Amino acid sequence: MITTDDLRFFLSLAATSSLAQAARALDVTPPAVTQRLHALEKRLGVRLVNRSGRGTALTDEGRLLALRAGQICGELNELADELAGRRGVVAGHLRVVAPLGFGQRYVAGLVAGFRDGQADVTASLTLSDGPPRLASDDWDVMIHIGELRDSTLVAYPLAPNRRILCASPAYLARHGAPAKPEDLRDHDCIALRENEEDVTLWRFKRGRGPAVGVRIAPVLSSNAGAVAVAWALAGHGIVARSEWDVAEHVKARTLVPLLAGWNLPEANVVALVKSRQELPARTAGFLAHLRAAFAVTPWRDKPQG
C-alpha cells in the first residue's frame, strides 16, 4: 500500500541530491528520512535510491516512481483547483522552492504571510543548498537567482541583484587591493559553488569594452554562501557574492567593494513557473504577493528601476 503522503515524500527526496539535503527540506532528521525511505522500499520490494559518499541517485525504479508520483500529485492538485474554482476561493497546496540562504532571509516569511491571508491554502517551502532539479514536477513557484538555463520556464522579475567583488579591510591591509581583474591571480580568492557554474572563471566587463575572464585558483571554496561571506569577513580572501548577501556589510564597511568600474554578470532574482497559461489561483496570488513584496528592493531600500 502506498499513500499520497508517500508520493509527496519521495518527490521531495527526488528533488535533492542527498539524504541530508532532503532532511533539511522536510524539516526532519536525516535518520528519519533514511527510515522512511527504507520502509517505502520494503513495502514496494524494490530499491529506489542508490547512496554513495557523493550523495544519492535514483535507480530506474526510483525514476519511474518519481515520474508517476509527479503525475498523480499533479492530477490531484488540478482536481483540487477545479473544485476550489467552483467554490470561488483560493485553495489547495502551494509548493515553493528557493535557494537556501536567500529563502531563509527573504522567502520564508512571504510564504507564511501569504498562507495567513488564505485560510484554504497550505504551503510548503523547499530550500536547497545545491542546484534545484528544474525538470521536477514537485513545485509551483521557484525563486531563482542568476543565469537561467531552461528557456521553457516562464520568469517573472522580482528584484535587481548585482554581484559584488569585495574583501575585508584586514585582508586589504595585508595584501593590497587589485587594480585590474588580472591581478586576482595573485590574490587569495574564495569561490562559491552554485548553479553548476564554472566557479573558478570570474568574468568582468567595463563599459562597452570586451569581457575579461580571469581564471582564479581559490584558496577556499564552499557551496554555502554564508560560509563564503564569513570567510571574507574574517579576512581570508576576496569573494564575489550577490548584492543581497553583502550589501549590509558593504554599508557597514566590514567588506570593501573592489575593482571600481568593472562589473561582474548580474544575478537578478526571478520567480519561475512552468507555464503562463491557466495558473492556479493560489500560484497567481502568490506571484502577486511576491512582486508586491519586492516592489522595494530590500537590500537597496528603494523601488526597482
Side-chain angles (χ1 to χ4, degrees):
M1 180 71 177
I2 187 168
T3 67
T4 54
D5 283 344
D6 292 327
L7 297 181
R8 296 191 188 282
F9 161 76
F10 192 72
L11 283 172
S12 295
L13 180 62
T16 61
S17 58
S18 71
L19 296 182
Q21 194 179 111
R24 288 193 292 272
L26 294 166
D27 195 23
V28 297
T29 64
V33 171
T34 300
Q35 291 171 7
R36 185 165 183 182
L37 175 60
H38 284 163
L40 182 59
E41 290 178 326
K42 184 176 181 179
R43 270 183 286 146
L44 295 175
V46 294
R47 191 173 186 84
L48 300 171
V49 175
N50 287 322
R51 299 88 157 166
S52 71
R54 292 178 296 178
T56 59
L58 300 183
T59 63
D60 287 343
E61 291 77 12
R63 284 191 290 271
L64 175 61
L65 178 59
L67 175 64
R68 294 299 303 277
Q71 293 170 344
I72 292 168
C73 291
E75 290 176 359
L76 288 173
N77 288 334
E78 288 176 6
L79 175 59
D81 290 339
E82 289 181 19
L83 295 174
R86 294 189 179 192
R87 291 187 289 134
V89 298
V90 179
H93 186 67
L94 175 70
R95 303 162 302 173
V96 183
V97 176
L100 180 63
F102 187 86
Q104 288 174 326
R105 190 179 304 186
Y106 292 110
V107 182
L110 295 177
V111 172
F114 177 72
R115 193 266 150 220
D116 285 344
Q118 305 292 343
D120 292 315
V121 170
T122 60
S124 61
L125 173 62
T126 299
L127 300 178
S128 174
D129 54 8
R133 299 181 184 178
L134 297 179
S136 170
D137 286 329
D138 195 31
W139 58 273
D140 299 304
V141 178
M142 179 180 291
I143 310 302
H144 183 78
I145 300 174
E147 181 183 359
L148 179 62
R149 303 188 182 212
D150 189 339
S151 61
T152 66
L153 301 175
V154 179
Y156 291 86
L158 292 180
N161 177 53
R162 296 181 296 127
R163 282 192 174 106
I164 298 176
L165 189 76
C166 53
S168 71
Y171 175 86
L172 297 175
R174 294 195 309 271
H175 300 279
K180 56 185 183 299
E182 291 83 357
D183 292 346
L184 291 169
R185 298 190 183 101
D186 299 320
H187 278 269
D188 293 342
C189 294
I190 300 168
L192 178 62
R193 302 189 305 272
E194 61 178 356
N195 294 339
E196 300 179 345
E197 295 178 356
D198 185 349
V199 299
T200 65
L201 182 62
W202 289 359
R203 296 181 175 87
F204 298 87
K205 195 170 177 59
R206 189 173 195 172
R208 297 183 179 181
V212 175
V214 178
R215 180 70 66 179
I216 62 164
V219 297
L220 292 168
S221 64
S222 175
N223 68 330
V227 171
V229 171
W231 283 337
L233 287 167
H236 296 300
I238 295 173
V239 70
R241 188 65 185 123
S242 279
E243 179 184 5
W244 71 262
D245 201 16
V246 296
E248 62 184 303
H249 302 300
V250 170
K251 185 176 182 180
R253 298 182 181 178
T254 51
L255 287 176
V256 179
L258 305 173
L259 294 180
W262 289 96
N263 298 312
L264 289 158
E266 292 187 342
N268 295 329
V269 184
V270 299
L272 302 176
V273 296
K274 295 163 193 170
S275 171
R276 208 180 291 271
Q277 303 298 321
E278 299 180 2
L279 287 178
R282 64 177 178 276
T283 302
F286 183 64
L287 284 174
H289 183 68
L290 283 173
R291 298 178 83 176
F294 285 102
V296 174
T297 306
W299 44 93
R300 295 183 183 177
D301 297 323
K302 62 182 181 181
Q304 295 187 46

